Amino acid sequence: MAEISAQLVKQLREMTDAGMMDCKKALVEVGGDLEKAVEYLREKGLSKAAKKADRVAAEGAISVQVSSDFKKASMAEINSETDFVAKNDGFKELSAKTIAMVQDSNVSTAEELHSLDFDGAKFEEYLKTQIAKIGENIVVRRIAKVQAQGSGIVNAYVHSNGRVGVIIALKCQNEESTTKLAELTKNLCMHAAAMKPKVISYHSFDKDFVNAEKTAIIAELEKENEELKRLGKPLHKIPQYISQLELTDEILSKQEEVLKAELKAQGKPEAIWDKILPGQMERFKADSTILDQRLTLLGQFFVMDDKKTIAQVLADKSKELSDSIEVVEYVRFELGEGIEKQACNFADEVAAQLG
């Protein structure tokens, strides 16, 4: 049997980050050949990683990267089993390398990412060695890439805790506007991270969906009114409409006539109606778009100026820049959403580990 020196064991450990005794055993098994020992540990590590792959990975972090010209942005959700591992340097390094690969390549899915070459091997192999090294199942669950089209801009935001990430792309008519929109786009991403809109606008809804939601919203408000009435507080107004999808030109025109009749009954001079009506119509729209305010980016009131919806903010910016600005793409990741995390009694988990 070849003599296995402490220096050789140390060298193998530095190359693989495997345990000292594992390194010594590997060298003994392969007769002191360093390259074969690396392969031996790699194969042993892959075997361990396969067992870890059965565990649910619902923690982790979301990473984003934006090109310096704000024309391309990428986002990746990488899951680990525990929040503790997600905070260690090894996991952070893995996340940084992964998002850089996503940004610099043409991949659009996690499956495509696995087949990319990385440090002389496929990314999938690299990931498995990291699973063995870190000691938990790690999954690149999903990725998103957004490219600005023509005169447009894309920006992204990831919350400081790494649990929520957003990419938003804006389209405008003038290329010179793009440099003036980077901060606004980032602020819109921050808004979406906090307020959780599901879609860009009400155009994503259909009538059946709106009707079903209206039934649920009215029931919810009526239930809350029972409690408000008991407490002697102002009651919610039960809406007739809940989305801009329902507010046809005919309905808006009829509402304007109703408001004019009310102003006339109040004795307001007709000469000042044009100063009063716009505000009243905006109030009617706000009261009639509860669903949009809950689920759409454009229908929500901006967290940085809660007197205006995102749609109004963009309209104001368009006027300021003499341009036409619109949101054309929106992606939001929330860590672990949709993953069923297994509940595990701590004592049982410890017993399972010891067993």
Side-chain angles (χ1 to χ4, degrees):
M1 183 178 72
E3 182 69 24
I4 307 300
S5 68
Q7 183 62 33
L8 196 60
V9 173
K10 180 174 181 292
Q11 187 178 352
L12 181 59
R13 177 170 165 76
E14 288 173 351
M15 291 173 66
T16 63
D17 204 38
M20 193 71 76
M21 294 306 295
D22 286 335
C23 289
K24 184 173 182 179
K25 181 180 179 182
L27 287 163
V28 169
E29 289 289 331
V30 299
D33 186 311
L34 196 60
E35 294 303 318
K36 288 183 179 179
V38 170
E39 185 63 23
Y40 175 91
L41 285 171
R42 179 173 172 273
E43 290 175 358
K44 184 180 179 183
L46 292 177
S47 176
K48 286 185 176 181
K51 293 177 182 178
K52 292 182 178 73
D54 290 333
R55 302 180 190 165
V56 175
E59 294 296 336
I62 291 166
S63 302
V64 300
Q65 189 166 319
V66 183
S67 62
S68 58
D69 61 358
F70 299 104
K71 292 296 184 181
K72 182 170 68 171
S74 300
M75 181 162 58
E77 178 183 355
I78 305 177
N79 297 131
S80 60
E81 293 175 51
T82 65
D83 183 52
F84 176 77
V85 159
K87 293 176 181 177
N88 78 32
D89 291 339
F91 185 89
K92 290 178 181 178
E93 182 181 358
L94 167 64
S95 296
K97 287 182 177 180
T98 301
I99 193 63
M101 283 192 69
V102 171
Q103 179 78 341
D104 295 339
S105 68
N106 293 320
V107 300
S108 57
T109 67
E111 289 73 20
E112 292 173 353
L113 175 65
H114 286 159
S115 65
L116 282 184
D117 290 329
F118 182 79
D119 283 352
K122 297 299 182 186
F123 179 82
E124 184 176 21
E125 299 303 310
Y126 162 72
L127 181 61
K128 288 178 179 178
T129 62
Q130 295 306 298
I131 291 172
K133 179 179 174 181
I134 293 172
E136 281 194 5
N137 187 25
I138 298 171
V139 177
V140 181
R141 184 185 179 207
R142 51 183 171 165
I143 64 176
K145 300 186 72 171
V146 176
Q147 185 90 33
Q149 301 298 319
S151 297
I153 185 171
V154 61
N155 211 340
Y157 167 78
V158 62
H159 194 58
S160 58
N161 63 9
R163 301 188 72 86
V164 179
V166 176
I167 300 176
I168 287 178
L170 300 183
K171 176 185 174 184
C172 52
Q173 303 303 312
N174 306 320
E175 184 64 34
E176 56 266 28
S177 296
T178 58
T179 57
K180 303 171 184 177
L181 291 172
E183 183 178 0
L184 174 60
T185 312
K186 180 73 169 284
N187 289 339
L188 294 178
C189 290
M190 294 173 69
H191 167 97
M195 301 308 293
K196 306 181 180 182
K198 300 294 185 186
V199 294
I200 294 175
S201 78
Y202 68 90
H203 293 295
S204 295
F205 301 154
D206 60 38
K207 290 183 178 179
D208 289 341
F209 174 75
V210 171
N211 288 335
E213 289 298 307
K214 183 188 293 187
T215 300
I217 286 173
I218 289 174
E220 173 191 321
L221 295 177
E222 288 177 340
K223 188 68 176 176
E224 289 180 8
N225 276 348
E226 292 177 9
E227 180 65 10
L228 291 173
K229 185 176 182 180
R230 187 183 70 80
L231 296 173
K233 295 183 177 182
L235 304 182
H236 294 304
K237 183 178 180 181
I238 305 301
Q240 184 177 359
Y241 310 104
I242 63 166
S243 173
Q244 186 77 29
L245 188 71
E246 300 176 291
L247 299 182
T248 62
D249 290 341
E250 182 183 2
I251 287 172
L252 292 174
S253 179
K254 284 183 178 179
Q255 180 61 25
E256 189 169 330
E257 292 304 315
V258 168
L259 293 174
K260 285 179 179 179
E262 290 177 356
L263 290 174
K264 185 175 182 180
Q266 293 166 8
K268 301 286 185 183
E270 191 169 343
I272 65 169
W273 286 4
D274 61 341
K275 293 181 173 62
I276 301 173
L277 280 172
Q280 290 186 333
M281 286 301 294
E282 285 302 318
R283 182 70 261 168
F284 171 74
K285 290 177 184 177
D287 290 342
S288 302
T289 53
I290 294 176
L291 184 63
D292 301 353
Q293 292 166 37
R294 291 185 180 185
L295 300 184
T296 75
L297 176 64
L298 295 180
Q300 291 182 340
F301 284 90
F302 192 26
V303 292
M304 296 181 180
D305 183 357
D306 61 7
K307 297 292 190 292
K308 297 177 181 177
T309 63
I310 300 294
Q312 290 169 332
V313 168
L314 291 176
D316 289 349
K317 198 67 175 177
S318 295
K319 190 178 296 183
E320 176 190 328
L321 298 178
S322 299
D323 206 330
S324 178
I325 303 163
E326 59 180 307
V327 179
V328 291
E329 200 157 352
Y330 159 59
V331 185
R332 184 182 186 277
F333 284 178
E334 187 157 350
L335 187 67
E337 59 189 344
I339 298 176
E340 285 191 29
K341 192 170 182 181
Q342 296 170 335
C344 182
N345 178 279
F346 182 68
D348 292 341
E349 185 174 338
V350 172
Q353 292 287 335
L354 293 175

